[in-house]
Amino acid sequence: MAAPPTQQPQFMTSGGSRTYPNESLIENIEYDQIVVPDKTSWKNLFAYMGPGFLVSIAYIDPGNFQTDLQSGAQYKYGLLWIILLASFAALIIQSLAANLGVVTGKHLAEHCRQEYPKIPNFILWILAEIAIVACDIPEVIGTAFALDMLFGIPLWIGVLITGLSTLVLLLLQQYGVRKLEILIAFLVLTIAGCFFAELKYAKPDASEVLRGLFIPQLKGSGATKLAISLLGAMVMPHNLFLHSALVLSRKIPRSVNGIKEACRFYLIESGLALMVAFLINISVISVSGAVCNSPNLNSDDLQSCKNLDLNEASFLLKHVLGSWSSKLFAIALLASGQSSTITGTYAGQYVMQGFLDLRLKPWIRNFLTRCLAIVPSLIVAIIGGSAGAGNLIIIASMILSFELPFALIPLLKFTSSKTKMGSHANSVSVSTVTWIIGSLIMGINVYYLADKLVSSLRHSHLNIVGTVFCGLLGFLAMLIYLAGIGYLVIRKNKEGSHLIALTASESRDMANGAGDASAYTLPREDIVDMQLPQRRTSDGLG
């Protein structure tokens, strides 16, 4: 309906009996739902709590612990600024992902399928699946390390056992995924509390910590490699798909203030969740940096610091936990890996459903992902042992960083588009900041790739023909990488979001209509089903 010239249209995704093709919002009263009251109140924040904290679990997974420990051991506090930058970037980017879902009623993967031709869409799906597998590798290895510390199980056998742990997790979810998440979050926060307490004993120099936080520095390609790993471990591409989908489980008012309030409260919730993750990552690096660079370190601990991985890290907590440090760290590591499996499960479901309009049973989907992650983990565990497995976690985190642009650029393009977001599109200042952050991440990735290619060719033992051939292949791979990024940046958005333009007066009428279901965004049936597997009985509906 066309709005009169004097009235500003307000975009809605559903209203009354009006329907559109491919309508994404489906009423479903048979599932437990969180309904946000249609009134302005700070108490509404509690209704929005959940998605941000579930997403933040990925920021304190075994991959983060591994990169944090190595960063502190090798460069002391020199890479803390990466954590600060990544946390700031994550807050902005995750809030944009939430806004996309709130305003349009569709998550990021669905928008990609709607926007891009079949071949680019298929490539983006493949990249998203690779990112989910790369995210699952640290969870596999972290769980295997935990089983080794708890029961003395060899690393490679522990890797195989992780294939079964995913089925146990899905079985436990039937008793309530919320309760399971609270339990896992409690265990992970327990080890975080231990690292906070260890800060008292490690006594990191406050001025050095502040210098590391606010003065950027990269000392050599080794530091650049860890910086990329930290970025990949903090700003994960699959989290963008996940966050934009999780917000669709809420039933929010579709008034002007209702949409703005939802975006604002999701930003606050994400900020609280990411602040906890930020403090945990800072404490892990600070403890690792202070202990491993202490002049009073004994020979055994010094050797552990030189080859620091998740299997050796428990000695950092011995002042707090004593002889129990290994067991309790293993329990927290196990909880961390399994909690991250939840986010990987959901993200995998949303990615497959969004890109391909295809859904698998959760246990099949998760088991396939886990099998793909087990293969490289098992090979490295057998050949390289714990040191090789630790390096594989770093490589997996780097893959996530390299793949980030292929989820980040579509998100920035979609949330900046008025055809998709209407009046809720990104402002010029937000667009500028997010593109600067994205450009910085892509610049670091390209710099590392170029530096590593030149360094490898320079120190290779190949003859001239072999060196030239490998150089050409590497250069071609970089061109393809840059061309893919360029395509996403240059291509203009062509599809809208089937938004219905309502005048301000109509929006007020809908918002003020008591008991009018059309004043709400109806939660997505498929999203609610994936996140909350239990259905209410008919008796519970009365």
Side-chain angles (χ1 to χ4, degrees):
M1 181 180 69
T6 58
Q7 294 177 302
Q8 182 179 2
Q10 169 61 33
F11 288 92
M12 311 286 288
T13 50
S14 66
S17 60
R18 285 178 265 204
T19 58
Y20 280 74
N22 302 320
E23 177 62 53
S24 63
L25 303 177
I26 304 172
E27 183 171 12
N28 173 32
I29 62 172
E30 294 186 356
Y31 289 86
D32 293 313
Q33 301 165 356
I34 298 177
V35 180
V36 181
D38 190 13
K39 60 181 180 179
T40 302
S41 172
W42 65 269
K43 295 180 181 179
N44 289 351
L45 174 62
F46 296 104
Y48 291 105
M49 299 291 277
F53 280 90
L54 181 59
V55 168
S56 71
I57 291 175
Y59 293 81
I60 48 176
D61 72 346
N64 287 93
F65 284 150
Q66 175 74 20
T67 51
D68 290 347
L69 291 169
Q70 290 201 4
S71 298
Q74 297 181 28
Y75 299 98
K76 205 172 183 180
Y77 316 121
L79 296 180
L80 284 175
W81 66 276
I82 292 289
I83 299 296
L84 180 62
L85 173 65
S87 298
F88 176 71
L91 176 59
I92 296 177
I93 293 169
Q94 294 295 161
S95 66
L96 293 184
N99 292 351
L100 181 67
V102 168
V103 175
T104 67
K106 292 183 178 181
H107 56 80
L108 180 58
E110 291 176 318
H111 278 288
C112 289
R113 174 162 56 92
Q114 179 185 14
E115 180 67 34
Y116 297 112
K118 288 184 178 181
I119 294 179
N121 180 73
F122 182 78
I123 294 174
L124 288 176
W125 170 67
I126 292 294
L127 292 174
E129 294 289 359
I130 292 174
I132 293 172
V133 172
C135 178
D136 206 40
I137 286 176
E139 296 158 17
V140 169
I141 296 176
T143 301
F145 276 140
L147 294 175
D148 182 23
M149 286 185 278
L150 286 171
F151 308 111
I153 297 175
L155 190 62
W156 68 273
I157 296 179
V159 168
L160 290 175
I161 292 176
T162 58
L164 299 176
S165 69
T166 227
L167 299 178
V168 175
L169 180 66
L170 289 171
L171 178 64
L172 292 176
Q173 285 188 33
Q174 300 304 313
Y175 294 98
V177 69
R178 299 291 193 189
K179 296 177 182 178
L180 181 63
E181 290 167 4
I182 291 173
L183 172 63
I184 291 173
F186 171 77
L187 293 173
V188 174
L189 290 176
T190 298
I191 203 68
C194 293
F195 273 105
F196 292 154
E198 182 71 12
L199 286 172
K200 176 182 178 182
Y201 294 92
K203 293 183 173 60
D205 187 277
S207 60
E208 287 188 61
V209 171
L210 290 175
R211 194 179 303 115
L213 272 173
F214 296 104
I215 300 179
Q217 53 180 311
L218 286 175
K219 300 178 180 179
S221 61
T224 305
K225 175 183 176 180
L226 274 177
I228 292 174
S229 300
L230 287 170
L231 282 173
M234 288 292 290
V235 190
M236 299 183 180
H238 76 285
N239 262 359
L240 307 185
F241 297 105
L242 178 65
H243 205 170
S244 64
L246 290 177
V247 298
L248 300 178
S249 63
R250 265 55 175 179
K251 199 174 188 179
I252 69 171
R254 293 308 302 185
S255 60
V256 178
N257 291 333
I259 295 175
K260 290 183 178 179
E261 181 186 75
C263 294
R264 181 172 65 253
F265 280 152
Y266 276 130
L267 174 63
I268 294 173
E269 187 234 3
S270 297
L272 293 174
L274 292 177
M275 175 60 71
V276 174
F278 170 75
L279 292 176
I280 291 175
N281 284 287
I282 290 295
S283 67
V284 173
I285 292 179
S286 298
V287 169
S288 175
V291 172
C292 288
N293 291 276
S294 171
N296 301 321
L297 207 61
N298 60 50
S299 58
D300 291 338
D301 290 347
L302 182 63
Q303 186 62 35
S304 296
C305 285
K306 288 182 179 179
N307 302 296
L308 190 59
D309 56 31
L310 295 174
N311 210 24
E312 301 287 342
S314 60
F315 84 92
L316 297 174
L317 302 177
K318 61 184 179 183
H319 292 112
V320 179
L321 303 176
S323 60
W324 283 90
S325 61
S326 176
K327 301 299 182 184
L328 292 183
F329 181 80
I331 292 173
L333 188 60
L334 185 65
S336 173
Q338 294 308 299
S339 61
S340 298
T341 298
I342 294 177
T343 64
T345 301
Y346 290 154
Q349 286 283 77
Y350 302 144
V351 162
M352 182 170 286
Q353 173 264 327
F355 279 108
L356 304 181
D357 196 19
L358 175 66
R359 292 184 62 194
L360 295 176
K361 291 182 179 179
W363 73 269
I364 296 177
R365 161 76 226 189
N366 197 286
F367 193 69
L368 288 175
T369 302
R370 181 54 58 95
C371 287
L372 291 175
I374 282 177
V375 172
S377 302
L378 182 62
I379 294 174
V380 171
I382 293 175
I383 298 176
S386 62
N391 288 330
L392 183 60
I393 292 180
I394 300 296
I395 294 173
S397 298
M398 291 176 65
I399 291 174
L400 292 172
S401 181
F402 291 137
E403 290 205 13
L404 181 60
F406 298 99
L408 178 57
I409 294 175
L411 176 66
L412 298 183
K413 294 286 292 289
F414 296 158
T415 54
S416 299
S417 170
K418 290 190 178 296
T419 62
K420 291 184 179 294
M421 300 287 288
S423 60
H424 303 283
N426 296 339
S427 64
V428 175
S429 58
V430 171
S431 295
T432 301
V433 170
T434 50
W435 279 107
I436 289 175
I437 292 173
S439 299
L440 179 61
I441 293 173
M442 288 180 278
I444 293 176
N445 290 342
V446 172
Y447 165 77
Y448 178 79
L449 287 173
D451 179 72
K452 195 67 177 177
L453 176 62
V454 173
S455 176
S456 299
L457 293 176
R458 185 178 299 170
H459 297 93
S460 68
H461 300 289
L462 300 174
N463 54 34
I464 296 178
V465 176
T467 301
V468 172
F469 180 73
C470 291
L472 289 175
L473 286 180
F475 183 71
L476 179 61
M478 287 188 60
L479 282 182
I480 294 174
Y481 180 75
L482 293 174
I485 293 175
Y487 169 80
L488 295 177
V489 171
I490 296 173
R491 187 183 186 278
K492 293 183 178 180
N493 292 332
K494 299 183 183 299
E495 298 289 341
S497 297
H498 302 296
L499 297 178
I500 303 172
L502 295 180
T503 64
S505 60
E506 288 177 318
S507 180
R508 284 196 300 270
D509 291 340
M510 291 179 64
N512 294 330
D516 186 1
S518 65
Y520 283 88
T521 292
L522 302 174
R524 290 280 300 279
E525 182 183 47
D526 49 355
I527 300 302
V528 174
D529 188 20
M530 291 181 197
Q531 187 182 4
L532 303 173
Q534 288 191 330
R535 298 172 65 115
R536 288 189 286 183
T537 63
S538 57
D539 295 337
L541 294 174

